[in-house]
């Protein structure tokens, strides 16, 4: 699953200094970032529930990212 | 710096099971993913250069992600 617009992912790779980028490199980074974001978000949801909240807050994301 | 559309980031958090999400939680995850993507992409660019290429390929992204 890829969750982000290809143009945004390509921009990140170009900002990182790439002169040229293959299409499948963009797709691969998109997939990696989507999976990473999903795993982090799942953990943040668990943290929010554990705290008795239905709302995922910034502090949940922050804590999840330190895992 | 946040590199992705807020709606995409929010969707990931909702797909992860969140009923409600605060605005700053979305911004924080966006920032984390942008920074993670930028660091990974910078390493992929180094790998491509090291291999004598100007084009960043899928294999460069893949190798960078195993760092």
């Amino acid at each position: 699953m890829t969750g982000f617009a290809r143009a945004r992912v390509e921009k990140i790779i170009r900002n990182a200094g790439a002169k040229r980028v293959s299409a499948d490199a963009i797709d691969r980074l998109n997939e990696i970032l989507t999976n990473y974001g999903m795993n982090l978000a799942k953990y943040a949801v668990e943290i929010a529930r554990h705290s008795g909240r239905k709302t995922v807050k910034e502090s949940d994301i922050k804590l999840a990212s330190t895992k």
Side-chain angles (χ1 to χ4, degrees), chain A:
Chain A
M1 192 193 102
T2 56
F4 303 108
R6 298 184 81 259
R8 300 285 190 125
V9 178
E10 181 171 359
K11 195 174 179 189
I12 284 179
I13 304 176
R14 292 196 180 275
N15 284 345
K19 290 213 171 67
R20 289 189 301 219
V21 189
S22 77
D24 52 6
I26 297 166
D27 293 338
R28 170 68 73 140
L29 182 56
N30 202 346
E31 189 186 349
I32 289 168
L33 292 174
T34 302
N35 289 339
Y36 180 74
M38 180 62 78
N39 287 333
L40 198 155
K42 279 181 183 169
Y43 189 45
V45 169
E46 273 185 58
I47 291 167
R49 279 183 191 147
H50 184 76
S51 306
R53 281 182 281 100
K54 286 184 179 175
T55 305
V56 174
K57 296 167 72 174
E58 183 187 8
S59 58
D60 301 318
I61 298 287
K62 189 179 172 185
L63 182 56
S65 73
T66 64
K67 192 186 185 180

